[in-house]
Amino acid sequence: MSRLPLTCLLLALALLGAACAGPPALGRSELTHAQAAEIRSEIRDEVTKAYDLSRPNIAANMLSLYPDSGRIVSATGGKIITSLDSLAGGIHYFWDNVGRYMQKPTWVWKQMIIDVLSPDAAVMTATYHIPHHTPRGQPHDIGGAWTAVFVRQGQKWVIIQEHLSDLPAPDTTKAVGGPK
């Protein structure tokens, strides 16, 4: 067997192997389990701190999770917001018209799942509820689910896209003494 057919065979096998391996990772570096765990912890800590309702400046704390500039995509209540000003207005509106009237509110994270996509990107899906009392002293609870895409900007993780969905309101028709 001459060297030319053997060289062609080896080259063909190498090309076949490269084709089967798929495209390169496009510069994405692989994370160790420890690195991914550290990123999950960083994001969990930032989110938990921002939604700690015992701290002052609640709306500003919530807004600290978003970039200082650039586009943000936020979907909730069947609407999409794509500007930081509109998002800030919505957070301030919620806190000024709902949150500040809650008596003894506590933000409770029921479940928080964070998938690390790369060293600079992650997605969080969480469920939460906020038990509190109304200004009349009645127990009340609101909550929902939240999915947020985080990117690292410098040493900080910020949200660039999110979707929030509220828990449905309780069915009051089944209340004691209600319609049958």
Side-chain angles (χ1 to χ4, degrees):
M1 182 177 223
S2 76
R3 287 184 84 42
L4 185 57
L6 181 59
T7 303
C8 288
L9 177 63
L10 292 175
L11 181 59
L13 288 173
L15 289 172
L16 180 63
C20 291
L26 300 175
R28 188 180 77 187
S29 60
E30 294 298 318
L31 291 167
T32 67
H33 179 71
Q35 290 168 321
E38 182 178 338
I39 290 170
R40 281 191 294 277
S41 180
E42 289 170 5
I43 291 172
R44 182 175 288 108
D45 291 349
E46 280 189 30
V47 170
T48 302
K49 182 178 177 184
Y51 281 81
D52 179 351
L53 301 179
S54 69
R55 297 175 61 227
N57 306 312
I58 305 285
N61 295 340
M62 292 175 178
L63 285 168
S64 73
L65 293 174
Y66 301 91
D68 295 329
S69 63
R71 188 175 84 149
I72 174 79
V73 177
S74 179
T76 185
K79 296 179 182 175
I80 297 175
I81 294 171
T82 58
S83 79
L84 192 55
D85 289 343
S86 296
L87 177 73
I91 288 174
H92 283 289
Y93 179 85
F94 166 78
W95 191 252
D96 293 344
N97 293 287
V98 178
R100 73 182 185 124
Y101 295 108
M102 295 179 186
Q103 308 297 311
K104 300 179 188 169
T106 304
W107 198 285
V108 178
W109 297 102
K110 291 198 246 180
Q111 189 173 16
M112 187 181 290
I113 300 167
I114 300 169
D115 288 328
V116 179
L117 307 175
S118 77
D120 296 316
V123 63
M124 174 196 79
T125 299
T127 54
Y128 63 90
H129 69 109
I130 310 167
H132 61 280
H133 287 83
T134 67
R136 294 182 182 161
Q138 298 171 322
H140 190 247
D141 199 1
I142 61 173
W146 180 24
T147 297
V149 177
F150 286 82
V151 296
R152 187 191 314 259
Q153 289 186 349
Q155 295 301 310
K156 183 178 173 185
W157 288 94
V158 295
I159 297 168
I160 58 167
Q161 287 208 19
E162 66 181 354
H163 179 264
L164 294 102
S165 58
D166 295 332
L167 285 174
D171 184 0
T172 58
T173 62
K174 296 180 183 175
V176 177
K180 298 187 183 201

